[in-house]
Amino acid sequence: MPAATAPGTTADAEELLAKLGRSWTWILGSAAATLVPGVLALVWPDATLHVLAVLIGLYLLVTGAFRFVAVFAREGPGERLPGLLLAVLHVLAGVLCLRHPLQTIAALSLIVGGVWLVSGVLTLYTAIAAKDLPHRGVVLGAALLGIVAGIVVLALPAESARALTRLLGLWLVLLGLVEVAIAFAWRAALSRARDAAARDPAGTV
């Protein structure tokens, strides 16, 4: 009966999302979603504010989707909460950036700077609270970079769309490169775990 199969279907979907969220290629995809708009902003500094708002809005929506899937890679509900809040924050901010009435330099700076600052704080909390987190130092570095990026964008409001484009593009590239480092660090951790499992399939010490 449908009622009997629904729980199993939900568990299977959650397990699939968890497997995808633990994949280093998924993390690399998230890094690409950050790098691409950053590079576009740097090579296209004369973009209008409307184009910049659309670019940043799409970036936030896509990274929000990546972060939502990554939530399921966490072991317990307590560890998933910061990631879920982060995903929701990115999606809401992306929608705000795509709204025409909010396409002003001050509003765009406030949205992006706020997202980066809150994201950095939540990532920092996750890095400290999560147990057995591989390459904790790299994640801490990403969290601190996000916090600094948010503070810089909020404290140094750009006076023109060109200046804002360069500022956001620079920080997007830096954040994307850190995420690339996290992806390859995660790949190394997964490789070591597979090697250890192959040497000791019974799980003995």
Side-chain angles (χ1 to χ4, degrees):
M1 292 182 294
T5 58
T9 303
T10 302
D12 291 342
E14 184 174 339
E15 183 178 351
L16 178 62
L17 289 174
K19 183 178 180 180
L20 185 61
R22 295 189 191 101
S23 170
W24 75 272
T25 55
W26 186 257
I27 302 174
L28 189 62
S30 177
T34 302
L35 270 174
V36 170
V39 172
L40 288 176
L42 289 178
V43 301
W44 193 10
D46 295 321
T48 64
L49 185 60
H50 173 76
V51 172
L52 180 61
V54 171
L55 189 65
I56 296 299
L58 292 176
Y59 146 73
L60 290 169
L61 289 176
V62 173
T63 54
F66 273 103
R67 293 177 187 278
F68 176 77
V69 174
V71 165
F72 292 89
R74 307 296 179 189
E75 294 297 331
E79 295 181 0
R80 290 179 179 178
L81 181 58
L84 182 60
L85 292 175
L86 200 55
V88 172
L89 175 64
H90 275 73
V91 171
L92 290 178
V95 172
L96 286 176
C97 285
L98 294 174
R99 289 188 60 187
H100 293 281
L102 290 178
Q103 286 176 14
T104 65
I105 294 174
L108 196 58
S109 299
L110 180 63
I111 291 171
V112 178
V115 168
W116 283 346
L117 181 58
V118 176
S119 297
V121 172
L122 290 176
T123 303
L124 182 64
Y125 168 79
T126 300
I128 295 174
K131 299 176 181 178
D132 302 324
L133 182 67
H135 298 276
R136 186 184 302 269
V138 180
V139 180
L140 285 172
L144 293 176
L145 181 59
I147 293 173
V148 172
I151 293 174
V152 169
V153 173
L154 290 174
L156 299 175
E159 297 180 357
S160 68
R162 183 184 180 91
L164 181 61
T165 301
R166 290 188 179 277
L167 181 62
L168 296 184
L170 175 61
W171 282 114
L172 282 171
V173 169
L174 290 176
L175 290 169
L177 290 175
V178 172
E179 289 185 5
V180 169
I182 292 175
F184 283 103
W186 185 249
R187 184 182 69 166
L190 291 176
S191 179
R192 286 195 298 270
R194 284 194 297 267
D195 292 343
R199 290 193 300 268
D200 190 14
T204 57
V205 179

